[in-house]
Amino acid sequence: MKAPEIIRPDSYWQKQDEIIGKEALATLQLEHLTKSLRRVYSNVPFYHTRFDEAGLDPENIKSLEDIRRLSFTTSDDLRANYPFGLLAVSKDEVVRVHTSSGTTGRAKAICFSKNDIECSATLIARCLVMTGTGKGDILQNMMTYGLFTGALIMHYGAEKVGALVIPAGPGNTERQIQLMRDFGTTVIHITPSYSLYLASALQQKGIDPRKDLNLRRAYLGAEPYSEETRKKIEAIYGIDVYNSYGLTEMSGPGVAFECGYKNGMHLWEDHFFAEIIDPETGEVLEDGQEGELVLTSLRREAMPLIRYRTRDITKIITGVCECGRTHRRISRILGRSDDMFVVKGVNVFPQQIEQVLMGIKGVAQNYQILLESYDHLTIRVEIAKELFDGNIEHLLQLQTEITDKVRADILVKPKIELLEPGALPVSEGKAKRVIDNRTM
Ligand code: DLL
């Protein structure tokens, strides 16, 4: 595979504040933050009370750090105010709603004004230009169209840069392959888990994506995945894979995105103010320290959120990126603090296990983590078809290799079950990797 193209910010995108000095950025952030705080103070009773409780006057904001006096907004606050409780504009200014259901409980509804849609499409356009997608590209959008932001927000941004968008949605793998061949798809937007499944479907049909398709790059996001998974997908398809991060609460995809250097995701700080906190104490951490990402939307109109706890664990990468963009980068998301599980007293993120599995030769595309008790962990792993050739020695060796490598990484010895490809359920949207059957 040839080295990815490095796209430097050009003058058009500089106008969009893609490249901006530290001080100019801080000034811009403060200006937008002040506007946002004034809007929510006047229009959202929930925030009005919060400001009063903290003794904070939005007319008197002197620095970005002043918002540290406010307590965090959580997903419970969104649920409690469902559907319109946090609206900062009148209802007739709202042109769209997206929801995010999370793992438990009521949905969280996020409203968009016309300008919110325009801003999110512009941010996606910035991400696409940064990674080389534009006029002449054919982008097959395999994310779910509907209440989920994944497909629609990307769709609007991709049209903005002049790409031809195929609104395929996920699933119906036969048809996906047909579309890719008929239209000569050059870019796919897809979840990591579905891209792995699609790879095995292509293999089964004897299609070599490197020779038989026209693909050049993929945008993968909406769920955590490891660097090993990226490498695996890049090798199978012969393409560049870029990590894309976002959440409905901040308008969906386009919050942070990798450039050609693929070394962390540029978080668009002219639209979002980022803090990393200790998830236990809420204390704000220094750049480089790992913790939970907290975001404040600086330019959303319909439903700006102040100090929103994303639950995503990451860190700010220190230093400036070689591409020249000044927006700070966040590292690959390690996992959600609520995905973390404890086995034998050890904290484990599913992604740590994925990282180990995807680096082992013979391991195929799908796996599942089964929790039956608090001191025991079973991992079901699909392995390459050829390994089921009747040679039990090979299987035992692979089982031992997986057991040892996982234990070395997470410090807990797992039980490994080897399965044929296709044995585990396939997800078209976000994958459910952990089955937790434990009772308290
Ligand atoms: O997943 C938005 C999105 C769509 C992002 C398509 C990228 C591509 P939600 O359904 O609200 O929105 O889920 C947001 O998904 O808080 C993370 O936990 C997780 N997530 C999103 N992108 C990544 C990523 C969309 N690149 C939640 N790596 C977030 C890891 C991710 N986790």
Side-chain angles (χ1 to χ4, degrees):
M1 204 175 69
K2 59 180 178 36
E5 220 178 330
I6 304 297
I7 315 283
R8 298 194 184 273
D10 66 21
S11 57
Y12 172 72
W13 297 96
Q14 280 182 27
K15 277 189 226 132
Q16 303 287 316
D17 300 322
E18 184 177 348
I19 180 156
I20 182 168
K22 219 173 160 185
E23 276 167 28
L25 176 65
T27 309
L28 188 78
Q29 285 184 311
L30 188 58
E31 180 195 320
H32 287 290
L33 179 72
T34 310
K35 275 191 208 155
S36 244
L37 296 184
R38 284 186 188 146
R39 184 164 336 107
V40 295
Y41 185 72
S42 311
N43 301 335
V44 187
F46 167 85
Y47 279 122
H48 194 103
T49 314
R50 285 277 170 100
F51 279 68
D52 287 353
E53 279 168 2
L56 191 66
D57 178 358
E59 296 302 324
N60 203 15
I61 302 289
K62 297 270 183 299
S63 79
L64 293 161
E65 279 68 38
D66 282 352
I67 59 165
R68 291 193 186 167
R69 285 164 58 191
L70 287 170
S71 49
F72 299 110
T73 307
T74 64
S75 55
D76 285 343
D77 296 326
L78 283 178
R79 292 197 175 93
N81 287 285
Y82 175 90
F84 292 124
L86 296 180
L87 211 55
V89 293
S90 76
K91 231 191 266 177
D92 39 347
E93 297 291 315
V94 176
V95 297
R96 196 193 293 173
V97 66
H98 280 287
T99 67
S100 164
S101 53
T103 41
T104 50
R106 266 164 97 177
K108 296 169 271 177
I110 303 296
C111 296
F112 291 68
S113 69
K114 226 175 174 157
N115 193 47
D116 292 335
I117 300 282
E118 175 58 23
C119 274
S120 54
T122 303
L123 283 183
I124 290 288
R126 188 191 278 183
C127 301
L128 298 185
V129 169
M130 173 169 77
T131 47
T133 295
K135 229 177 171 45
D137 271 303
I138 296 160
L139 185 146
Q140 194 160 325
N141 196 355
M142 300 190 201
M143 294 276 178
T144 306
Y145 278 80
L147 286 167
F148 176 52
T149 49
L152 275 171
I153 299 292
M154 169 58 77
H155 188 117
Y156 277 50
E159 284 186 349
K160 219 179 192 10
V161 299
L164 186 165
V165 185
I166 306 177
N172 201 340
T173 306
E174 290 277 325
R175 193 185 58 185
Q176 300 284 7
I177 297 171
Q178 193 66 46
L179 287 168
M180 286 199 279
R181 298 187 106 171
D182 293 348
F183 289 93
T185 300
T186 58
V187 185
I188 52 176
H189 182 221
I190 187 166
T191 59
S193 47
Y194 189 52
S195 74
L196 287 167
Y197 176 72
L198 183 63
S200 54
L202 286 163
Q203 265 163 8
Q204 269 167 29
K205 288 174 93 54
I207 299 172
D208 180 350
R210 285 164 303 186
K211 292 203 216 99
D212 306 329
L213 299 176
N214 206 17
L215 281 183
R216 290 166 59 192
R217 63 189 79 90
Y219 300 122
L220 261 64
E223 60 187 9
Y225 60 110
S226 62
E227 193 54 40
E228 287 304 327
T229 298
R230 183 227 295 269
K231 285 190 195 137
K232 191 163 180 156
I233 298 169
E234 288 193 326
I236 296 175
Y237 289 91
I239 56 173
D240 283 306
V241 168
Y242 298 96
N243 197 1
S244 151
Y245 170 79
L247 60 160
T248 316
E249 294 87 326
M250 297 288 137
S251 289
V255 172
F257 217 87
E258 278 180 338
C259 65
Y261 285 96
K262 299 182 191 167
N263 181 15
M265 297 177 279
H266 290 278
L267 191 138
W268 302 127
E269 296 183 275
D270 52 333
H271 284 252
F272 309 101
F273 177 67
E275 299 168 275
I276 302 285
I277 62 158
D278 177 327
E280 300 293 324
T281 62
E283 178 206 349
V284 178
L285 302 175
E286 297 287 318
D287 282 7
Q289 286 185 288
E290 201 168 88
E292 181 181 334
L293 179 66
V294 170
L295 291 173
T296 295
S297 43
L298 297 175
R299 301 209 197 179
R300 294 201 86 243
E301 282 178 351
M303 223 182 237
L305 297 179
I306 314 298
R307 303 197 88 199
Y308 182 69
R309 287 191 66 157
T310 64
R311 296 278 165 201
D312 294 321
I313 305 297
T314 182
K315 64 179 177 200
I316 302 278
I317 297 177
T318 50
V320 177
C321 183
E322 284 179 82
C323 77
R325 287 174 189 82
T326 43
H327 295 258
R328 287 177 305 166
R329 290 159 294 160
I330 53 168
S331 72
R332 187 175 283 284
I333 306 292
L334 182 62
R336 288 180 62 79
S337 54
D338 34 17
D339 279 351
M340 193 193 75
F341 58 85
V342 181
V343 149
K344 281 196 162 171
V346 177
N347 295 350
V348 182
F349 283 104
Q351 210 192 323
Q352 288 174 273
I353 295 178
E354 181 188 301
Q355 168 86 13
V356 176
L357 295 179
M358 292 301 150
I360 298 177
K361 199 161 173 274
V363 168
Q365 278 74 338
N366 209 350
Y367 70 94
Q368 196 176 60
I369 299 162
L370 184 67
L371 302 172
E372 302 278 9
S373 79
Y374 285 89
D375 52 13
H376 198 76
L377 166 76
T378 301
I379 308 174
R380 295 170 165 162
V381 190
E382 287 186 8
I383 59 166
K385 217 182 178 105
E386 7 357 315
L387 287 168
F388 288 98
D389 57 1
N391 188 336
I392 197 83
E393 267 309 303
H394 286 161
L395 290 179
L396 289 173
Q397 266 169 20
L398 182 61
Q399 196 176 35
T400 309
E401 183 185 350
I402 300 175
T403 311
D404 291 348
K405 287 190 169 160
V406 173
R407 181 173 45 188
D409 197 86
I410 66 167
L411 310 175
V412 178
K413 185 178 174 187
K415 180 179 162 208
I416 302 295
E417 291 177 7
L418 301 181
L419 305 172
E420 282 196 51
L424 291 170
V426 180
S427 62
E428 291 168 1
K430 300 190 189 224
K432 186 162 170 47
R433 297 291 191 200
V434 182
I435 309 293
D436 193 344
N437 292 332
R438 299 176 296 188
T439 45
M440 286 310 284

